[in-house]
């Protein structure tokens, strides 16, 4: 039976792949600037500079759009935490270090652009946003228990990047503002390239050490948390985002897990040893249960939306738009 590779061996074996993928990324990525996506003419001073402070009436965004924007921005703000974890698992030597630096710089652009948009358009309360940023960043994010090493890391970031892409795209739709939609599409396109990068490294991991890769996939998928979990007000915010299809269990299954597992050919591979087979069987069971949970979730949501629509109709209110 093949012996497990240790962390150093994994990093060394994967490094040429990281070098190739980084070069490929640099040829396909678009070097865009946040300032090109912001409607600066809408901007004006706040009270401290002789203008007027924020008031809820100034925001053109719906409650769900505000929530989704804040959650997505706070997720981007937490970059130092992700950078620390990634650096711990990848190291900064050679191609790994080049990639970590590049990825961090690109991710930082997302937070800059979203914050510029929210401030200039007065879309959310700037004082509250800053208060939340302080809490979220001081707390940081910890990797789930049992999560360690380069394979867990690349599998996790693959899922996280695809999930974030879905979340940004859906947020763009609920903002009901072509400028926000264009900006979030631009950000989502970056997340897509990041997802492709990590997905391809994981694929190489499957080729090098299939059992270890399979065990990482099982570990990460069965313990994955939605982006934003653990933030202040997450229960309320999470429910609102799920209800409006910003990121829900159906998207998690259909748009995130299934395409990624298909790409890795997890259920077709014939190169597993007993450990890989066992992990794959466990994942198959988990996916069956998840599909059932998704159906239950969709029924519950449909029921809830129907009840709310009736309430709104009774009260003479216009129907709520749910972009799913
Ligand atoms: Fe990002």
């Amino acid at each position: 039976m093949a012996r497990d590779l240790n962390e150093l061996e994994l990093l060394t074996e994967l490094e040429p792949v990281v070098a190739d993928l980084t070069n490929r990324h640099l040829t396909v990525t678009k070097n865009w600037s946040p300032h090109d996506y912001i409607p600066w003419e809408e901007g004006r001073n706040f009270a401290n500079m002789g203008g007027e402070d924020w008031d809820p009436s100034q925001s053109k965004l719906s409650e769900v759009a505000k929530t989704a924007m804040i959650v997505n921005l706070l997720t981007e703000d937490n970059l130092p935490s992700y950078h620390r974890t990634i650096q711990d698992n990848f190291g900064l030597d050679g191609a790994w270090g080049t990639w970590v630096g590049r990825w961090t710089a690109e991710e930082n652009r997302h937070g800059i652009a979203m914050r510029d948009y929210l401030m200039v358009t007065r879309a959310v309360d700037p004082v509250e946003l800053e208060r939340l940023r302080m809490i979220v960043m001081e707390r940081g994010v910890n990797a789930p228990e049992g999560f360690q090493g380069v394979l867990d890391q690349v599998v996790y970031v693959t899922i996280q990047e695809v999930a974030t892409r879905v979340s940004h795209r859906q947020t763009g739709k609920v903002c009901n503002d072509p400028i926000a939609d264009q900006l979030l599409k631009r950000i989502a396109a970056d997340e897509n390239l990041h997802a492709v990068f990590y997905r391809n490294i994981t694929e190489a991991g499957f080729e090098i050490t299939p059992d270890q890769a399979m065990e990482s996939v099982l570990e990460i998928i069965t313990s994955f948390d939605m982006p934003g979990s653990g933030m202040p007000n997450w229960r309320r915010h999470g429910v609102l985002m799920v209800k409006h299809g910003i990121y829900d269990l159906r998207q998690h299954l259909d748009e995130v897990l299934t395409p990624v597992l298909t790409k890795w050919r997890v259920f077709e591979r014939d190169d597993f040893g007993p450990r890989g087979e066992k992990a794959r069987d466990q994942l198959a069971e988990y996916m069956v249960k998840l599909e059932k949970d998704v159906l239950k979730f969709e029924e519950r949501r449909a029921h809830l939306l129907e009840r709310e629509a009736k309430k709104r109709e009774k009260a003479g209110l216009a129907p709520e738009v749910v972009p799913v």
Side-chain angles (χ1 to χ4, degrees), residues 76 107 110 168 187 191:
E76 299 286 348
E107 287 293 349
H110 301 165
H168 281 311
I187 293 176
E191 311 292 21

Side-chain angles (χ1 to χ4, degrees), residues 124-136:
V124 300
D125 181 349
V127 177
E128 176 64 2
L129 184 64
E130 185 60 7
R131 190 184 74 81
L132 292 172
R133 189 184 70 82
M134 292 300 289
I135 295 173
V136 167

